[in-house]
Amino acid sequence: MTVILRKTGGQVLVDMLVVHGVRRAFCVPGESYLAVLDALYGTSIELITCRQEGGAAMMAEAQGKLTGSPGICFVTRGPGATNASSGVHVACQDSTPMILFIGQVERAFRGREAWQEIDYTKFFAPICKWVTEVDDATQLPDVIARAFHIATSGRPGPVVISLPEDMLTDQVAAPAVSFVADDKPKLDMKMFEQVGTLLSAAKAPVLLLGGSTWSEEGRAAITRFAENWNLPVVVSFRRQHLFDHTHPNFAGHAGYGIDAPLGERIKHADLVMLVGGRFSEVPSQSYTLIDAPQPRQTLIHIHPD
């Protein structure tokens, strides 16, 4: 017979982070999630204490962008959560996997204008993939496993989880189990052949790089691809790290201050291959480089997943 020990909600949460391979987390300590801080002590997770929540969230966003695994951030309620919203917004626009945990007022105090109380499900809804509040500590394994899956599947992005302070101290029997599914799409060789045909026929192609969750192997592969096809490579806004700027195939960036001739080259390209990203008004220069919904150029869009 398997015996499941009773643990605090904070311990259950930390156990789930360990099961999902979290090695580093960022935070500004706060009294509303002390049970989590206590549970983190002595674990394999490195906890980086920051001076301000916006910085902590930006560091977690950068961690997610560089590793492809959700960057983890803990903040306390009220101003702590609102300060962290800037990092969540960047993660949303940059398709970066991230999970923000927020210490919340006790459950009995909600809706009574408790000290620094905010309804986070409403506050964060427009700038994240999913936001929820956990009322029952036994639900933590399911909620956190779902958060990892949502943050990394499809178009990656941020998830926000609100944690009532008293819920984190409840004693429960809840095993830590990973439910993250491997839902990578299968490759269609016919599509590869179509891409080759289009590239072979192109007179003035351009390769544009963007998106998150790039690996070292992915960057090396796209470099070889650009070399093999002799493609000029342009990096998108906040994606300068995706391609070596000293490489002879590097053509520049499509962010703020784009070189005017480069903008004209993209506009008049007969084929644009966009790998891993999407265009907002900055890298598309007010949506003039690539028309939507019908581009002037032939567009090959390879999505992040």
Side-chain angles (χ1 to χ4, degrees):
M1 181 176 67
T2 302
V3 177
I4 301 175
L5 300 177
R6 297 182 68 83
K7 303 178 180 180
T8 67
Q11 290 172 318
V12 172
L13 189 157
V14 172
D15 286 348
M16 286 295 295
L17 297 184
V18 172
V19 164
H20 283 84
V22 173
R23 295 183 295 176
R24 182 178 293 113
F26 305 89
C27 80
V28 174
E31 53 89 14
S32 59
Y33 68 97
L34 287 176
V36 175
L37 294 175
D38 288 341
L40 282 166
Y41 185 77
T43 68
S44 59
I45 298 175
E46 178 186 13
L47 185 64
I48 308 297
T49 301
C50 306
R51 292 176 178 267
Q52 202 261 6
E53 294 83 4
M58 291 293 184
M59 293 166 76
E61 194 276 337
Q63 176 86 6
K65 186 172 289 177
L66 291 171
T67 65
S69 299
I72 305 298
C73 183
F74 287 94
V75 298
T76 194
R77 62 185 184 250
T82 55
N83 286 342
S85 65
S86 57
V88 175
H89 188 264
V90 169
C92 182
Q93 289 207 332
D94 279 13
S95 304
T96 303
M98 174 183 174
I99 302 177
L100 174 67
F101 293 97
I102 304 171
Q104 173 64 301
V105 302
E106 295 184 18
R107 287 166 289 188
F109 299 160
R110 287 179 306 188
R112 301 170 67 183
E113 295 189 8
W115 172 244
Q116 296 182 334
E117 178 190 5
I118 292 176
D119 185 341
Y120 300 109
T121 59
K122 293 180 180 178
F123 184 89
F124 282 97
I127 58 171
C128 68
K129 288 187 71 176
W130 182 49
V131 55
T132 189
E133 189 162 283
V134 184
D135 284 334
D136 185 347
T138 61
Q139 297 176 354
L140 280 167
D142 178 62
V143 169
I144 295 173
R146 182 181 176 191
F148 273 87
H149 179 69
I150 291 174
T152 56
S153 62
R155 177 186 167 190
V159 169
V160 178
I161 300 177
S162 174
L163 308 166
E165 181 179 356
D166 57 322
M167 180 275 297
L168 291 173
T169 59
D170 284 350
Q171 296 277 340
V172 296
V177 181
S178 174
F179 297 106
V180 176
D182 184 4
D183 59 352
K184 295 180 181 178
K186 295 180 180 179
L187 301 177
D188 186 343
M189 294 307 299
K190 290 184 178 180
M191 288 187 178
F192 280 108
E193 294 173 1
Q194 292 174 356
V195 169
T197 300
L198 290 171
L199 284 172
S200 297
K203 302 298 183 182
V206 173
L207 176 61
L208 292 171
L209 306 183
S212 292
T213 68
W214 283 78
S215 64
E216 290 292 340
E217 294 80 6
R219 288 191 286 271
I222 203 66
T223 299
R224 293 193 301 270
F225 180 83
E227 291 170 345
N228 291 338
W229 288 93
N230 194 28
L231 298 172
V233 179
V234 181
V235 292
S236 185
F237 181 52
R238 291 195 289 241
R239 293 299 184 278
Q240 285 83 353
H241 65 288
L242 293 181
F243 202 83
D244 182 2
H245 291 200
T246 65
H247 194 284
N249 288 70
F250 181 70
H253 68 89
Y256 286 111
I258 184 175
D259 185 61
L262 177 59
E264 290 301 311
R265 172 63 190 274
I266 297 173
K267 284 182 181 180
H268 296 98
D270 57 352
L271 183 144
V272 173
M273 188 171 185
L274 175 59
V275 182
R278 66 182 187 89
F279 274 138
S280 65
E281 83 282 1
V282 176
S284 65
Q285 306 303 306
S286 301
Y287 304 104
T288 59
L289 297 184
I290 299 179
D291 291 342
Q294 184 61 52
R296 298 181 300 276
Q297 313 92 331
T298 297
L299 178 64
I300 301 175
H301 191 181
I302 300 177
H303 295 271
D305 58 350

